[in-house]
């Protein structure tokens, strides 16, 4: 059996502090016969020396481009625009299966090089439940930032912190909050952050969104969306809702950040916000502020990385062999067909 070689890449996004594999789990991989190469990274929350002590080989940032073809490149967020041909198997969040901007181009890069995308969002069990996710911390931070923004206490630029430091800033009172998707990972995280803040949120999930009560939605001061739609559903907010004179809603946080996708349940904005400018004004009278940051868990990089890595570790130990990876590869091939890539173009994987 060929030795599994995992290559942990540096993240090109300057605000990305997380890692999908923490040093303690890298050590377990090495102890189980996996070769692990870790790229140097100036912003990763765990210093590269901890990986070296765990038995990993160290490489220069960005050197995955010349990694052996059999190496499996592991990361989190987007790849750089080059090379145009991707020869390796990659494990990361590709955001390429729902007609997002740039999705077809990314898939064609894999087809051109003979590589494959194992999108972690689609690494699921037999019932379709995700096996490794940052959802809880995304929801927690989304609600936390919404609380701070609504209270006029959200300072920019955002900087990574610890849960203890964040929680000390959260206590609030005097407003109502709504969490949509409250039963999922992200929704549970959002509800917990509101609890820490001293706010008992209204909790909606499938039952409450089948026939949406828009007046009830707009009657809340703060709303957090934690729903990631996989099939078309009527939008939760429309442009005309923002101009409703009865709207009480003042702060909106979209944890999902599905902007650009036809499945977006909040088609009232066209671009995300970021650490430099975390909130954007959608309406002036009455005011409505949007928070839509697509790497929220990176604000709690140590906690979120540790949880994610623990969930991903058993899957990595079975890379390519377990049913979850087979399903993951099948979803990549389906996405390729959907953008017109012929079967033979990605058969090398």
């Amino acid at each position: 059996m060929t030795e599994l070689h995992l290559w942990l890449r540096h993240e090109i996004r300057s605000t990305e502090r997380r890692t999908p594999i923490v040093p303690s789990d890298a050590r377990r991989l090495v102890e189980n016969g996996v070769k692990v190469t870790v790229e140097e990274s100036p912003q990763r929350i765990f210093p590269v020396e901890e990986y070296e002590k765990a038995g990993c080989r160290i490489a220069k940032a960005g050197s995955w481009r010349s990694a052996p073809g059999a190496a499996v490149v592991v990361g989190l967020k987007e790849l750089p625009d080059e090379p145009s041909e991707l020869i390796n198997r990659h494990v990361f969040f590709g955001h390429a299966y729902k007609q997002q901007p740039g999705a077809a181009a990314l898939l064609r890069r894999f087809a051109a090089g003979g590589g494959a995308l194992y999108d972690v969002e689609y690494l699921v069990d037999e019932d379709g439940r995700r096996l490794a996710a940052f959802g809880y911390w995304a929801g927690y931070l989304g609600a936390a930032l919404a609380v701070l923004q609504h209270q006029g206490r959200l300072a920019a630029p955002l900087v990574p912190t610890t849960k203890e430091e964040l929680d000390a800033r959260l206590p609030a009172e005097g407003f109502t909050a709504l969490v949509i998707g409250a039963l999922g990972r992200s929704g549970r995280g959002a509800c917990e952050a509101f609890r820490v803040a001293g706010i008992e949120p209204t909790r909606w999930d499938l039952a409450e969104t089948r026939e949406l009560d828009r007046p009830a939605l707009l009657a809340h001061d703060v709303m957090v969306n934690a729903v990631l739609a996989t099939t078309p559903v009527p939008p939760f907010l429309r442009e005309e809702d923002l101009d409703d004179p009865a709207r009480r809603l003042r702060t909106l946080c979209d944890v999902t950040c599905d902007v650009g996708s036809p499945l977006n349940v909040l088609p009232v904005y066209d671009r995300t916000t970021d650490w430099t400018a975390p909130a954007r004004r959608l309406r002036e009278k009455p005011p409505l502020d949007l928070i839509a940051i697509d790497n929220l868990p990176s604000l709690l990089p140590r906690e979120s990385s540790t949880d994610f890595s623990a969930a991903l570790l058993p899957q990595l130990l079975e890379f390519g062999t377990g049913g979850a990876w087979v399903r993951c590869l099948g979803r990549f091939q389906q996405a390729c067909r959907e953008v017109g890539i012929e079967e033979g173009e990605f058969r090398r994987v």
Side-chain angles (χ1 to χ4, degrees):
M1 182 176 177
T2 305
E3 177 189 38
L4 175 61
H5 182 186
L6 299 178
W7 192 290
L8 180 61
R9 62 175 170 88
H10 157 70
E11 300 289 333
I12 60 172
R13 188 184 297 204
S14 61
T15 58
E16 188 51 76
R17 304 289 305 280
R18 294 171 296 172
T19 177
I21 306 173
V22 302
S24 58
D25 289 333
R27 181 183 297 279
R28 291 184 61 186
L29 288 166
V30 171
E31 291 172 348
N32 279 273
V34 179
K35 181 179 178 181
V36 181
T37 298
V38 178
E39 292 186 0
E40 297 170 337
S41 175
Q43 71 245 18
R44 188 186 296 126
I45 187 62
F46 297 95
V48 74
E49 291 78 12
E50 293 188 24
Y51 291 95
E52 191 169 25
K53 291 178 181 177
C56 303
R57 303 184 183 192
I58 307 304
K60 295 293 185 183
S63 57
W64 63 266
R65 296 173 178 85
S66 57
V72 179
V73 181
V74 184
L76 288 176
K77 302 299 284 187
E78 66 272 3
L79 295 173
D81 293 335
E82 296 293 335
S84 59
E85 298 183 358
L86 297 169
I87 67 171
N88 295 90
R89 293 167 292 176
H90 283 251
V91 176
F92 71 109
F93 292 96
H95 302 299
Y97 296 171
K98 294 187 291 184
Q99 304 175 39
Q100 295 99 324
L106 176 63
L107 294 174
R108 292 188 184 283
R109 290 170 67 191
F110 279 108
L117 167 60
Y118 289 80
D119 195 311
V120 186
E121 185 177 330
Y122 297 86
L123 184 66
V124 298
D125 65 15
E126 294 178 349
D127 297 319
R129 290 188 292 263
R130 289 172 62 177
L131 295 170
F134 286 99
Y136 178 87
W137 293 109
Y140 194 97
L141 280 154
L145 296 187
V147 168
L148 296 175
Q149 175 65 22
H150 196 72
Q151 297 285 302
R153 294 189 278 115
L154 184 61
L158 302 179
V159 294
T161 185
T162 65
K163 184 176 182 297
E164 291 74 17
E165 293 172 343
L166 177 63
D167 287 354
R169 301 170 58 202
L170 288 186
E173 59 183 17
F175 66 86
T176 60
L178 168 66
V179 176
I180 302 185
L183 298 182
R185 283 191 182 98
S186 293
R188 293 196 301 271
C191 291
E192 176 60 15
F194 279 125
R195 186 197 66 78
V196 171
I199 303 296
E200 179 55 43
T202 302
R203 304 168 190 239
W204 288 4
D205 210 87
L206 288 175
E208 293 82 7
T209 55
R210 287 194 182 97
E211 295 185 11
L212 194 69
D213 186 341
R214 294 186 187 280
L217 184 156
L218 296 173
H220 289 83
D221 298 300
V222 176
M223 171 183 150
V224 173
N225 173 55
V227 173
L228 179 64
T230 56
T231 57
V233 297
F236 298 158
L237 279 176
R238 308 160 302 183
E239 286 289 336
E240 55 264 38
D241 298 321
L242 306 193
D243 296 318
D244 188 329
R247 171 175 59 83
R248 182 174 169 180
L249 186 65
R250 297 292 184 269
T251 304
L252 169 65
C253 180
D254 187 10
V255 172
T256 303
C257 291
D258 216 8
V259 61
S261 166
L263 303 183
N264 184 13
V265 297
L266 294 178
V268 294
Y269 70 99
D270 58 3
R271 64 186 186 278
T272 57
T273 61
D274 56 32
W275 290 22
T276 303
R280 180 160 63 89
R281 183 62 55 92
L282 295 182
R283 289 293 188 276
E284 289 291 346
K285 295 182 179 179
L288 175 61
D289 293 326
L290 167 75
I291 298 171
I293 299 172
D294 65 0
N295 66 334
L296 282 168
S298 197
L299 290 165
L300 289 178
R302 186 173 295 273
E303 293 91 341
S304 62
S305 294
T306 300
D307 285 356
F308 183 87
S309 179
L312 186 62
L313 173 65
Q315 307 306 320
L316 290 175
L317 288 170
E318 297 182 355
F319 180 82
T321 61
W325 294 110
V326 173
R327 288 187 288 271
C328 209
L329 178 60
R331 186 62 186 89
F332 162 71
Q333 294 171 336
Q334 176 187 336
C336 287
R337 290 190 292 269
E338 290 170 353
V339 298
I341 299 173
E342 298 297 329
E343 189 85 20
E345 295 183 68
F346 52 82
R347 189 163 290 164
R348 279 191 285 171
V349 301

